[in-house]
């Protein structure tokens, strides 16, 4: 039962005068409500009275309601109240009595004839509910992969990657167990769809009794000690574009092979993606050589990963441009090989110079020791030991002269080598500039 109470002035002479309900109680209805009392009510001055407007017998049933966002632990006891009368019921407070005992009170929203509301009056601990997202049930299906076109290198409407359309399926599992010795006739599971990826759509219809955008209410029944599982399926469509070099590289590495097996990705489009990726990578390498032809840049160009890209690029090139581009890259490789040869010669010369200088320093130290020993042997100038010291010093002097000559020659050679390296770097930079950017039909 719901009693709507409101003060009202009424006289026999003027029944048209009335007091409207407070506007704060009428949110959602949009018009004033009047209630006609069956009998006139008189309220003396400076006194108050509780006025019973009407007594209605409305349809209602006990239900349990579980809403993860409101209470992740327990279901809540509710009265599912229907306005089965012809009367508009204004907002107000509702007291719930069960077997004559007060069990709870809550605020009610306005109810037009035919409306229904849930009136909560306490938590339930007899039904346990766990909610999870089992990893094995979450899936992503590729619906289509199409070429993407846009602007690149000043050209419009050129192939720049792929557009991928996916259907993402999300499954929320509710494991529900009735621990009581009595059956539960109505357990409402209020499920809100995920807002990720632009919003999911709930696709599970079984046992649903109410649906709005992004929301579904399920009505379940459980016997005593029964456990059931409710899987709620949602689906969302997601469109993505893989157009940057990094995105295409990740796609080719992580997804392309499986998509080729499922025929979601066509072989021709896969080949075009490979060619686009490799063309961009080669042009990026050429650009770096043009801007900074340092040894580190050239060594980066020559590492195994980059050379694999270059080899694959030359292999999948269209026939009409394969010969021309291959000859340019071969010329670039020859110039790079020449540079590595010059660098090796320069390093070897430097190493020999440093080795000879180290040896000269050791010989100087040894000669200093021999001179010190000879001073202490002045009284034994004809001894065998003195003669051996003199012979060692003579030999080391010859070695010093030889090593100094070698160092002088190597330093001269090193100057020439460095000049050749500088010239070779300029030649390489010129060649790279003439080649960059490489262009071919993708």
């Amino acid at each position: 039962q719901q009693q709507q109470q409101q003060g009202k002035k009424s006289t026999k002479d003027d029944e048209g005068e009335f007091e409207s309900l407070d506007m704060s109680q009428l949110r959602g209805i949009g018009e004033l409500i009047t209630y006609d009392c069956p009998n006139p009510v008189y309220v003396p001055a400076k006194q108050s009275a509780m006025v019973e407007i009407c007594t209605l017998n409305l349809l209602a049933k006990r239900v349990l309601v579980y809403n993860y966002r409101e209470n992740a632990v327990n279901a809540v006891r509710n009265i599912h109240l229907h306005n089965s009368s012809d009367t508009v019921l204004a907002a107000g407070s509702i007291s719930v009595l069960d077997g004559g005992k007060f069990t709870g009170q809550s605020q009610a929203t306005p109810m037009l004839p035919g409306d229904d509301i849930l009136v909560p009056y306490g938590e339930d601990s007899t039904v346990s509910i766990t909610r999870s997202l089992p990893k094995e049930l979450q899936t992503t299906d590729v619906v289509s992969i199409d070429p993407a076109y846009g602007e690149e290198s000043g050209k419009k409407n050129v192939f720049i990657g792929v557009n991928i359309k996916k259907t993402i399926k999300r499954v929320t599992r509710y494991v529900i167990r009735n621990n009581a010795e009595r059956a539960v006739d109505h357990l409402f599971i209020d499920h809100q769809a995920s807002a990720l990826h632009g919003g999911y759509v709930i696709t599970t219809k079984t046992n649903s009794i109410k649906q709005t955008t992004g929301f579904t209410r399920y009505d379940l029944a459980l016997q005593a000690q029964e456990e059931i599982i409710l899987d709620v399926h949602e689906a969302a469509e997601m469109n993505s574009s893989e157009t940057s070099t990094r995105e295409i590289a990740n796609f080719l590495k992580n997804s392309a092979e499986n998509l080729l097996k499922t025929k979601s990705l066509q072989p021709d489009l896969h080949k075009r993606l490979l060619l686009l990726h490799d063309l961009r990578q080669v042009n990026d390498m050429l650009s770096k050589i043009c801007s900074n032809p340092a040894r580190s840049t050239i060594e980066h160009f020559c590492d195994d990963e980059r050379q694999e890209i270059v080899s694959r690029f030359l292999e999948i090139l269209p026939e009409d441009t394969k010969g021309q581009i291959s000859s340019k890259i071969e010329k670039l490789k020859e110039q790079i090989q020449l540079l590595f040869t010059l660098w090796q010669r320069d390093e070897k010369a430097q190493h020999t110079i440093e080795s000879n200088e180290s040896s000269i320093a050791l010989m100087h130290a040894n000669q200093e020791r021999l001179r010190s020993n000879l001073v202490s042997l002045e009284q034994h100038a004809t001894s065998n030991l003195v003669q051996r010291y003199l012979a060692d010093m003579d030999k080391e002097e010859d070695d010093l002269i030889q090593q100094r000559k070698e160092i002088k020659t190597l330093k001269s050679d090193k100057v020439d080598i460095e000049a050749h390296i500088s010239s070779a770097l300029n030649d390489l930079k010129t060649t790279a500039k003439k080649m960059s950017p490489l262009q071919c039909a993708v």
Side-chain angles (χ1 to χ4, degrees):
Q1 291 183 338
Q2 176 173 333
Q3 295 183 343
Q4 303 287 339
Q5 299 181 344
Q6 178 67 35
K8 177 180 177 184
K9 293 180 180 179
S10 177
T11 65
K12 292 181 180 179
D13 297 332
D14 188 1
E15 295 181 356
E17 295 186 51
F18 61 88
E19 278 190 11
S20 64
L21 295 177
D22 188 272
M23 288 300 297
S24 66
Q25 295 179 294
L26 300 177
R27 291 190 218 97
I29 292 185
E31 60 184 25
L32 300 181
I33 301 173
T34 62
Y35 292 108
D36 293 324
C37 295
N39 298 305
V41 176
Y42 297 92
V43 182
K46 298 184 180 180
Q47 295 190 21
S48 61
M50 296 289 291
V51 180
E52 182 178 307
I53 304 298
C54 61
T55 299
L56 301 174
N57 291 318
L58 305 179
L59 295 177
K61 60 186 177 184
R62 293 183 178 89
V63 299
L64 296 179
V65 179
Y66 179 77
N67 188 319
Y68 177 80
R69 295 186 179 179
E70 294 181 2
N71 189 329
V73 180
N74 294 321
V76 177
R77 296 188 183 97
N78 280 259
I79 298 298
H80 191 199
L81 181 66
H82 293 263
N83 185 5
S84 52
S85 70
D86 295 329
T87 303
V88 175
L89 304 179
S93 62
I94 295 183
S95 298
V96 180
L97 290 86
D98 190 357
K101 297 179 180 180
F102 177 80
T103 57
Q105 188 177 46
S106 63
Q107 292 296 312
T109 57
M111 295 178 67
L112 298 173
D115 284 353
D116 66 290
I117 61 171
L118 289 170
V119 183
Y121 64 95
E123 292 187 359
D124 176 85
S125 58
T126 62
V127 176
S128 62
I129 304 172
T130 58
R131 177 184 180 274
S132 63
L133 296 168
K135 187 176 180 180
E136 65 275 8
L137 298 181
Q138 319 305 313
T139 59
T140 300
D141 299 324
V142 176
V143 177
S144 63
I145 303 176
D146 300 310
Y149 295 92
E151 184 175 347
E152 185 167 2
S153 300
K155 294 184 178 180
K156 295 183 178 180
N157 200 32
V158 296
F159 178 67
I160 59 171
V162 290
N163 293 322
I164 304 174
K165 184 177 181 180
K166 301 176 182 178
T167 297
I168 304 173
K169 296 179 181 178
R170 174 187 172 102
V171 180
T172 304
R173 171 163 289 179
Y174 296 90
V175 179
I176 308 157
R177 180 174 178 79
N178 181 11
N179 299 306
E181 297 297 331
R182 55 180 176 76
V184 176
D185 295 327
H186 298 282
L187 169 63
F188 290 171
I189 301 292
D190 286 354
H191 181 82
Q192 288 88 11
S194 170
L196 298 174
H197 306 299
Y200 280 76
V201 175
I202 301 172
T203 58
T204 300
K205 307 296 182 184
T206 306
N207 295 320
S208 67
I209 59 170
K210 184 176 183 179
Q211 283 189 313
T212 59
T213 301
F215 172 84
T216 300
R217 173 173 291 159
Y218 298 94
D219 187 3
L220 307 174
L222 293 93
Q223 299 301 318
Q225 302 295 320
E226 183 183 8
E227 181 176 292
I228 62 174
I229 294 176
L230 171 66
D231 286 340
V232 180
H233 294 253
E234 305 172 37
E237 288 189 355
M238 184 177 74
N239 297 316
S240 62
S241 297
E242 312 290 347
T243 55
S244 72
T245 304
R246 182 184 293 274
E247 289 171 343
I248 294 173
N250 289 335
F251 176 78
L252 291 171
K253 180 180 179 180
N254 302 322
S255 307
E257 186 175 348
N258 289 332
L259 293 173
L260 283 170
K261 290 178 181 178
T262 60
K263 296 184 179 180
S264 299
L265 176 62
Q266 297 301 313
D268 288 347
L269 183 54
H270 178 242
K271 184 178 179 180
R272 292 180 71 187
L273 267 182
L274 283 172
L275 182 57
L276 176 64
H277 169 266
D278 294 350
L279 177 62
R280 286 179 176 176
Q281 288 281 53
V282 172
N283 278 331
D284 181 61
M285 293 181 234
L286 291 174
S287 176
K288 289 178 179 177
I289 291 174
C290 291
S291 61
N292 180 29
R295 183 169 182 174
S296 59
T297 304
I298 297 169
E299 287 177 341
H300 183 68
F301 175 83
C302 295
D303 66 23
D304 293 340
E305 182 181 353
R306 299 313 183 280
Q307 285 308 298
E308 183 180 345
I309 291 173
V310 172
S311 298
R312 184 177 65 190
F313 171 65
L314 294 175
E315 183 180 340
I316 61 178
L317 271 172
E319 292 298 328
D320 58 340
T321 56
K322 180 178 289 190
Q324 182 182 7
I325 292 178
S326 296
S327 62
K328 290 180 179 179
I329 290 180
E330 285 304 316
K331 182 180 179 181
L332 192 74
K333 286 183 175 181
E334 289 173 3
Q335 291 178 324
I336 290 174
Q337 187 58 48
L338 173 61
L339 270 170
F340 277 116
T341 302
L342 292 171
W343 279 325
Q344 288 173 359
R345 286 177 57 193
D346 186 57
E347 288 172 352
K348 185 178 179 181
Q350 182 63 31
H351 177 72
T352 306
I353 290 170
E354 291 174 357
S355 178
N356 286 349
E357 287 177 343
S358 178
S359 178
I360 289 172
L362 288 173
M363 282 190 284
H364 278 306
N366 190 48
Q367 284 188 340
E368 188 65 29
R369 180 184 62 84
L370 291 175
R371 289 190 183 95
S372 177
N373 289 341
L374 286 172
V375 170
S376 64
L377 294 172
E378 286 181 353
Q379 304 300 323
H380 306 281
T382 59
S383 68
N384 291 335
L385 183 58
V386 171
Q387 295 303 315
R388 193 176 75 183
Y389 283 169
L390 292 173
D392 288 344
M393 291 183 68
D394 186 55
K395 182 177 181 303
E396 286 187 350
E397 281 297 328
D398 291 340
D399 290 341
L400 283 171
I401 294 170
Q402 180 62 33
Q403 288 185 352
R404 288 193 178 102
K405 286 182 179 179
E406 188 175 359
I407 289 173
K408 185 177 180 180
T409 302
L410 287 171
K411 286 185 175 180
S412 177
D413 291 344
K414 200 169 183 303
V415 171
D416 292 339
I417 293 170
E418 289 173 351
H420 280 92
I421 289 173
S422 178
S423 176
L425 283 172
N426 288 332
D427 291 343
L428 179 66
K429 185 175 181 178
T430 301
T431 302
K433 281 185 176 180
K434 288 180 179 179
M435 293 173 60
S436 182
L438 290 174
Q439 295 187 4
C440 66
V442 180

